[in-house]
Amino acid sequence: MGSGSSPCASCKLLRRRCAKDCIFAPYFPADDPHKFSIVHKVFGASNVSKMLQELPVQQRADAVSSLVYEANARVRDPVYGCVGAISYLQNQVSQLQMQLAVAQTEILCIQMQHHQDDSALALPTQMQHHDDDDYKPFLLPTTHNLDNISQYINFASSSNVIQDPAATVKRESLWT
Amino acid sequence: MSSGRCAACRYLRRRCTQDCILSPYFPSNNPQRFASVHRIYGASNVTKLLQRLPTHLRAEAADSLYFEAQCRLEDPVYGSVGLIFLLQQQIHSAESQLIKTQAEVAVMKSQTQHPQTQPFRAISGSNNLLLQQSDNDANLSFSNQVSSGFI
């Protein structure tokens, strides 16, 4: 890496001398020429260099990995690139949300049915267990049931589909 | 005819010809769109990429390039890959919740069909429900969730 005798993959492709402080050398070793080649093809060496220079050193490896990933996606699918995968995953999230809503509604219906059955049997109120802290008031008199349905229909807010590319998450590393 | 230049040619300070490949996708009323794409990909790479595509696919390609460029500008480390990772996490979480909820439904249905085994009391949708059972002859069917593999 970065030594005069062994240029990194970037400098080899760009046919230039690989300096000791070559910004590419740590991330584009000579034994994997394809990695830099694909990134250069999509983003261009100069853009990649600028992007890396703007990042702290400890974040550059992850940045390179994500750039390689995006470049591969773009080469495989020149029209949509990574956006194709994002659409697919968003669709999956939506489908799961719908299935969960259906299942939660089913629970509601069964519980309401049980409540009606219990009422019909005129069970004494002492036998109804309300000792669970998480107990949701499904079994309140029917006039109140509809007020509580929405909290069971809605999927947890953490799983809302991402609409805004600004909604990113900082993390340790994706690549372990 | 500087007033007729597309955003790309205006940014690059060049004459915008009739057959400018970028002008349909980078109109002059949205200069920021080309600026973002240029910053990440460079005008020459964008031009080459669009040239390789049939005309009817270029608009979609320009849109996806813009989207990815925006993701990269907002998250210089992970770009749009960060969004992919987040969606995968959401899918895993949703799948777990769905499996749990469907199991609860199965148990509740089984209780409904065999009420003599144990009086059923609804407790909120949590694992407590499964722990309440002594004789569980419920036919738990877990639907196969599509894995979140992609590309």
Side-chain angles (χ1 to χ4, degrees), chain A residues 41-44 47 51 54-55 59 62-63 66-67 69-70 73-74 76 78-83 85-86 88-90 92-93 96 99-100 103-104 106-107 110-111 114 118 123 127 129 132 134-135 155 158-160 162 165-169 171-175, chain B residues 38-42 45 49 52-53 57 60-61 64-65 67-68 70-72 74-88 90-91 94-95 97-98 101-102 104-105 108-109 111-112 120-124 126 128 143 145-151:
Chain A
K41 186 175 177 182
V42 174
F43 295 99
N47 289 330
M51 283 190 245
E54 285 165 13
L55 290 172
Q59 290 182 324
D62 278 359
S66 68
L67 286 168
Y69 186 93
E70 281 190 29
R74 183 59 63 177
R76 262 195 295 262
V79 181
Y80 295 107
C82 274
V83 175
I86 290 167
Y88 172 78
L89 293 172
Q90 282 183 327
Q92 273 198 299
V93 170
L96 286 168
Q99 288 177 42
L100 185 61
Q104 287 170 337
E106 229 177 318
I107 288 179
I110 293 172
Q111 288 175 335
H114 280 288
D118 286 349
L123 287 169
M127 287 182 65
H129 297 286
D132 190 333
D134 294 329
Y135 177 72
F155 193 70
S158 62
S159 64
N160 283 342
I162 298 296
T168 53
V169 174
R171 64 193 63 79
E172 296 281 326
S173 172
L174 296 176
W175 319 112
Chain B
H38 175 62
R39 194 162 153 199
I40 300 301
Y41 297 99
N45 287 334
L49 190 139
R52 280 187 230 124
L53 292 173
L57 293 176
E60 299 273 358
S64 72
L65 286 168
F67 182 87
E68 286 193 37
Q70 282 295 105
C71 286
R72 182 60 62 175
E74 281 155 15
D75 183 355
V77 181
Y78 297 104
S80 62
V81 179
L83 192 51
I84 289 174
F85 186 69
L86 190 64
L87 287 168
Q88 282 188 308
Q90 289 185 351
I91 285 169
E95 283 175 343
Q97 282 206 2
L98 182 60
T101 307
Q102 288 176 335
E104 286 175 20
V105 169
M108 288 167 80
K109 280 183 175 171
Q111 289 287 348
T112 305
F120 178 79
R121 284 293 173 264
I123 300 174
S124 66
S126 69
N128 289 340
S143 62
Q145 297 304 314
V146 175
S147 71
S148 58
F150 59 95
I151 301 190

Side-chain angles (χ1 to χ4, degrees), chain A residues 49-172:
Chain A
S49 173
K50 279 187 224 162
M51 283 190 245
L52 292 180
Q53 277 167 1
E54 285 165 13
L55 290 172
V57 173
Q58 63 271 21
Q59 290 182 324
R60 290 178 185 174
D62 278 359
V64 166
S65 297
S66 68
L67 286 168
V68 170
Y69 186 93
E70 281 190 29
N72 274 307
R74 183 59 63 177
V75 166
R76 262 195 295 262
D77 183 351
V79 181
Y80 295 107
C82 274
V83 175
I86 290 167
S87 295
Y88 172 78
L89 293 172
Q90 282 183 327
N91 195 36
Q92 273 198 299
V93 170
S94 296
Q95 285 183 8
L96 286 168
Q97 285 177 337
M98 276 194 317
Q99 288 177 42
L100 185 61
V102 166
Q104 287 170 337
T105 306
E106 229 177 318
I107 288 179
L108 265 179
C109 293
I110 293 172
Q111 288 175 335
M112 285 169 72
Q113 181 65 42
H114 280 288
H115 171 63
Q116 286 172 4
D117 291 346
D118 286 349
S119 300
L121 291 173
L123 287 169
T125 53
Q126 298 92 299
M127 287 182 65
Q128 293 179 18
H129 297 286
H130 289 197
D131 54 358
D132 190 333
D133 285 343
D134 294 329
Y135 177 72
K136 300 290 188 296
F138 284 118
L139 302 187
L140 290 174
T142 49
T143 50
H144 295 173
N145 282 352
L146 291 176
D147 295 338
N148 301 310
I149 285 178
S150 61
Q151 62 185 306
Y152 299 98
I153 299 289
N154 290 335
F155 193 70
S157 59
S158 62
S159 64
N160 283 342
V161 168
I162 298 296
Q163 301 291 347
D164 179 0
T168 53
V169 174
K170 296 286 186 274
R171 64 193 63 79
E172 296 281 326

Side-chain angles (χ1 to χ4, degrees), chain A residues 1-3 6-14 16 18-19 21-53 55 59-72, chain B residues 72 77:
Chain A
M1 307 199 210
S3 70
S6 177
C8 68
S10 325
C11 294
K12 208 178 262 191
L13 184 78
L14 299 171
R16 64 186 195 191
C18 191
D21 58 351
C22 172
I23 195 167
F24 296 121
Y27 317 108
F28 297 102
D31 58 1
D32 190 359
H34 171 77
K35 190 174 168 186
F36 181 76
S37 156
I38 203 160
V39 166
H40 177 52
K41 186 175 177 182
V42 174
F43 295 99
S46 120
N47 289 330
V48 175
S49 173
K50 279 187 224 162
M51 283 190 245
L52 292 180
Q53 277 167 1
L55 290 172
Q59 290 182 324
R60 290 178 185 174
D62 278 359
V64 166
S65 297
S66 68
L67 286 168
V68 170
Y69 186 93
E70 281 190 29
N72 274 307
Chain B
R72 182 60 62 175
V77 181

